[in-house]
């Protein structure tokens, strides 16, 4: 039996050579290069950060804080990782500071907006499933949600996420493990996914 | 003897990285071999694929990227000016600084322009001093909002490339019908104004001309510029 090769990640992989050249110009305080980098990364950062908070002001604050640091620290980039990993790492640290204080409130707001009685799985349209997925993600602890987001929405590898979140690879694996277990318990009820008969694998 | 539990756990851990396409080919092959005999992992792979696809369909909020960039650029500009560094936190605080500081800065630049104009008037009109006075009413005071100050007002800030020559600056300003009002500052910011009366469209045309030049690193209209 063979299994199809998984589809490519939704976020296109950036050309690191171009990013490095832009960052070199930013290090020389070229504001046009910073603007170019900003416009290129804004949507990527917004997609990542918007899964961590629904606070619009906090999102823009975190994105602009990220590029404020990029502007000031570009010359300190040593090329140990891809530029995208370096920028996402800064965004993650900014998110921790700017968004964390809003996260609990956001999750509570999402949770309180959920109906008391869940409709049947068959009644969910794709849009509704997406909405329920957002509810499910909101119940995850901050680090687990960010890990899942970086992996599935941005397409980073386990090692890259460890660099972004400044933690050991095993911590990333553990966070992903916990997130998967929790979502397998939640999402079949919330979003019409297949029944979770084997929560994380019976042999684990 | 192969430890099947360990193999299963390794395969199970790798599934997200198989799904997002970041796992190397060797790991994908190892997982594929395990999938043939493990219904749990096949189901988990399918579930994670569904989750991956559903997350890709999630709606991202719309934030005007140009507006956001302008706010960051204002913050960077404020930081490049001499004086205390701006607050770290971006939006609300930088907006607060902008609101508080910009009128003061504009007023200071207008005062400076008027001061220079007054010096010029005083210099050139020394022999005809009575012209500057209203008969019987003492000195004439010019307010900051006096309309005849407008042609002297600064409208644009610009930073040129470090390698630009003075001749190039002069040619560029002449082409854009601009004159230097102040600068360059310690960080290389020039403050410019129109060579003659101008309106908003002319200011924007001059800005476009400046920005089109590879010798211009940065150019923006001052708040309140005509």
């Amino acid at each position: 039996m063979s299994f199809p090769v998984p589809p490519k990640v939704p976020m296109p992989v950036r050309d690191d050579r171009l990013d490095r050249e832009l960052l070199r110009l930013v290090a020389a305080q070229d504001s046009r290069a910073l603007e170019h980098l900003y416009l290129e990364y804004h949507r990527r950062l917004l997609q990542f950060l918007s899964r961590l908070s629904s606070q619009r002001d906090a999102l823009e604050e975190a994105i602009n804080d990220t590029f404020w640091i990029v502007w000031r620290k570009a010359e300190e980039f040593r090329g140990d990782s891809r530029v995208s990993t370096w920028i996402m790492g800064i965004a993650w640290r900014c998110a921790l500071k700017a968004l964390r204080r809003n996260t609990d409130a956001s999750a509570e707001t999402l949770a309180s907006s959920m109906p008391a009685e869940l409709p049947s799985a068959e009644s969910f349209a794709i849009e509704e499933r997406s909405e329920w997925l957002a509810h499910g993600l909101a119940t995850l602890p901050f680090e687990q949600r960010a890990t899942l987001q970086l992996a599935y929405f941005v397409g980073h590898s386990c090692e890259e996420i460890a660099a972004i979140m400044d933690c050991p690879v095993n911590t990333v694996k553990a966070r992903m493990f916990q997130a998967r277990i929790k979502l397998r318990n939640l999402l079949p009820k919330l979003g019409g996914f297949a029944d979770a008969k084997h929560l994380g694998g019976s042999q684990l | 003897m192969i430890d099947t539990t360990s193999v299963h756990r390794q395969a199970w851990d790798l599934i997200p990285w198989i799904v997002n396409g970041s796992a190397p080919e060797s790991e994908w092959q190892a997982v594929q071999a395990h999938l043939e005999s493990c219904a749990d992992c096949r189901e988990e792979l399918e579930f994670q694929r569904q989750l991956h696809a559903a997350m890709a369909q999630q709606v991202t909020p719309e934030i005007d990227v140009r507006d956001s960039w302008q706010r960051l650029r204002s913050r960077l500009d404020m930081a490049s000016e001499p004086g205390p560094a701006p607050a770290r936190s971006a939006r609300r605080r930088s907006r607060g600084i902008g609101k508080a500081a910009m009128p003061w800065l504009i007023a200071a630049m207008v005062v400076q322009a008027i001061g220079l104009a007054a010096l010029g008037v005083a210099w050139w009109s020394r022999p005809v001093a009575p012209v500057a006075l209203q008969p019987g009413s003492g000195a004439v005071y010019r307010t900051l909002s006096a309309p005849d100050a407008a042609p002297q007002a600064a409208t644009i800030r610009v930073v040129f490339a470090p390698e630009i020559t003075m001749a190039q600056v002069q040619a560029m300003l002449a082409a854009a019908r601009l004159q230097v009002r102040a600068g360059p500052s310690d960080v290389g910011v020039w403050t410019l104004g129109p060579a003659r009366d101008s309106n908003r469209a002319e200011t924007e045309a001059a800005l476009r001309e400046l920005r089109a030049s590879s010798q211009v690193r940065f150019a923006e209209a001052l708040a309140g510029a005509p």
Side-chain angles (χ1 to χ4, degrees):
Chain A
M1 188 188 299
S2 68
F3 298 88
V5 174
K8 288 292 180 189
V9 295
M11 192 76 66
V13 176
R14 288 194 53 79
D15 182 349
D16 196 49
R17 290 171 303 176
L18 173 63
D19 282 353
R20 282 172 187 254
E21 178 59 19
L22 285 170
L23 199 61
R24 187 186 66 75
L25 293 170
V26 170
Q29 300 293 278
D30 185 329
S31 61
R32 286 186 174 185
L34 183 75
E35 181 179 4
H36 192 87
L37 212 52
Y38 185 93
L39 298 179
E40 289 283 319
Y41 271 89
H42 188 272
R43 183 138 194 93
R44 179 182 292 256
L45 292 181
L46 186 59
Q47 285 173 330
F48 168 46
L49 297 171
S50 64
R51 269 66 189 182
L52 306 181
S53 173
S54 58
Q55 306 288 324
R56 189 172 288 258
D57 281 357
L59 292 175
E60 184 182 299
E61 183 174 324
I63 292 172
N64 281 6
D65 276 355
T66 298
F67 277 90
W68 170 263
I69 293 171
V70 168
W71 177 250
R72 295 169 66 96
K73 303 285 186 183
E75 63 185 359
E76 295 178 16
F77 176 71
R78 293 288 170 258
D80 301 333
S81 67
R82 294 172 61 85
V83 171
S84 60
T85 304
W86 184 70
I87 291 177
M88 294 301 282
I90 295 171
W92 166 247
R93 289 189 288 278
C94 289
L96 282 176
K97 292 179 181 174
L99 305 182
R100 202 165 196 168
R101 62 178 174 271
N102 298 316
T103 300
D104 293 341
S106 299
E108 284 168 12
T109 303
L110 287 171
S112 66
S113 68
M114 291 167 65
E117 190 169 336
L118 298 176
S120 66
E122 293 75 19
S123 67
F124 288 113
I126 291 175
E127 293 79 9
E128 289 170 326
R129 177 182 292 192
S130 178
E131 190 177 331
W132 283 108
L133 174 62
H135 289 299
L137 292 174
T139 64
L140 294 178
F142 194 73
E143 289 81 1
Q144 291 177 23
R145 201 181 334 159
T147 302
L148 200 64
Q149 194 62 35
L150 287 167
Y152 280 4
F153 207 82
V154 192
H156 284 293
S157 69
C158 186
E159 291 73 20
E160 286 172 337
I161 295 173
I164 288 167
M165 301 179 83
D166 194 24
C167 66
V169 168
N170 281 339
T171 302
V172 176
K173 289 179 178 175
R175 285 171 179 166
M176 180 60 92
F177 181 91
Q178 295 300 328
R180 289 163 66 189
I181 295 292
K182 195 158 188 176
L183 287 179
R184 291 269 336 222
N185 281 313
L186 286 171
L187 290 180
K189 286 183 287 183
L190 295 179
F193 287 98
D195 287 342
K197 288 181 291 189
H198 306 283
L199 304 179
S202 56
Q203 299 174 47
L204 298 178
Chain B
M1 181 178 171
I2 299 173
D3 182 351
T4 54
T5 303
S6 172
V7 170
H8 174 74
R9 176 59 194 260
Q10 285 176 10
W12 204 85
D13 280 347
L14 285 171
I15 283 174
W17 321 108
I18 299 295
V19 167
N20 83 350
S22 68
E25 182 67 22
S26 58
E27 290 182 347
W28 168 236
Q29 287 173 356
V31 171
Q32 194 166 23
H34 175 71
L35 287 172
E36 291 182 14
S37 60
C38 182
D40 282 354
C41 282
R42 285 200 299 273
E43 187 177 332
E44 174 64 10
L45 178 67
E46 182 53 33
F47 179 84
Q48 292 302 321
R49 279 181 176 161
Q50 288 187 45
L51 180 60
H52 182 243
M55 287 182 72
Q57 291 171 350
Q58 291 246 283
V59 177
T60 300
E62 291 297 325
I63 292 181
D64 190 313
V65 60
R66 284 284 170 192
D67 283 353
S68 297
W69 164 250
Q70 288 302 328
R71 279 187 277 277
L72 176 62
R73 198 170 72 171
S74 298
R75 184 178 169 194
L76 296 172
D77 292 343
M78 297 295 287
S80 68
E81 297 286 348
R88 255 205 88 258
S89 188
R91 191 180 187 202
R92 277 162 289 189
R93 283 184 227 168
S94 69
R95 277 183 160 182
I97 289 169
K99 283 179 181 172
M102 284 311 290
W104 185 90
L105 286 172
I106 292 166
M109 283 187 285
V110 172
V111 167
Q112 185 184 35
I114 291 172
L116 290 170
L119 278 173
V121 168
W123 177 262
W124 290 106
S125 62
R126 273 182 304 173
V128 286
V131 173
L133 300 173
Q134 296 284 348
S137 63
V140 176
Y141 294 96
R142 183 174 289 170
T143 66
L144 292 180
S145 58
D148 60 349
Q152 302 292 335
T155 54
I156 289 173
R157 284 196 302 178
V158 63
V159 176
F160 296 109
E163 63 274 12
I164 196 169
T165 65
M166 281 309 297
Q168 288 172 316
V169 170
Q170 287 171 346
M172 200 179 299
L173 296 189
R177 295 176 179 170
L178 294 169
Q179 291 178 344
V180 175
R181 293 279 177 264
S185 69
D186 292 344
V187 290
V189 179
W190 298 69
T191 305
L192 311 177
R196 55 177 175 75
D197 286 346
S198 73
N199 55 31
R200 181 73 194 177
E202 286 170 322
T203 300
E204 287 175 357
L207 263 179
R208 282 196 297 275
E209 197 156 334
L210 290 172
R211 287 170 177 164
S213 168
S214 61
Q215 300 278 34
V216 171
R217 287 288 167 82
F218 165 78
E220 71 167 1
L222 288 166

